[in-house]
Amino acid sequence: MAVSVPIDHFTADPLPLEKARAWLALVLNHPAFSIERRQKAGQLMAAASDARQVCRWAVLALVESERWEDAMLLREEASRGSRSSFPRCCH
């Protein structure tokens, strides 16, 4: 579910403000972020006038979504480890 955007997309050359806001909004659609956080971020984005700041927020959001995905994968692996991957068969 991660957004396929390399972090250097946000850090190499500053994006125009509207494009930075659009990218951040896209990243925030990740399931790692609650509706409340998306709404709060929307308010902050609307008030922000510095494209670099919005890009920094996008980088932070990408990192957080990647960490969330890593944690979900670890949880899934742990739950699989607690039970056999193969069903028991009677021969």
Side-chain angles (χ1 to χ4, degrees), residues 8-72:
D8 62 350
H9 178 77
F10 298 107
T11 57
D13 291 322
L15 297 172
L17 182 58
E18 288 308 311
K19 194 164 194 170
R21 286 177 176 156
W23 277 112
L24 178 53
L26 179 67
V27 172
L28 291 171
N29 279 324
H30 191 277
F33 303 103
S34 67
I35 292 171
E36 294 81 17
R37 286 187 72 195
R38 287 184 198 125
Q39 290 171 343
K40 180 66 176 174
Q43 293 168 356
L44 291 171
M45 281 191 290
S49 60
D50 181 8
R52 289 178 194 257
Q53 179 61 48
V54 176
C55 286
R56 282 191 291 271
W57 292 337
V59 168
L60 292 172
L62 274 173
V63 169
E64 184 173 344
S65 67
E66 289 171 355
R67 286 184 183 148
W68 182 89
E69 287 189 3
D70 290 343
M72 294 301 288

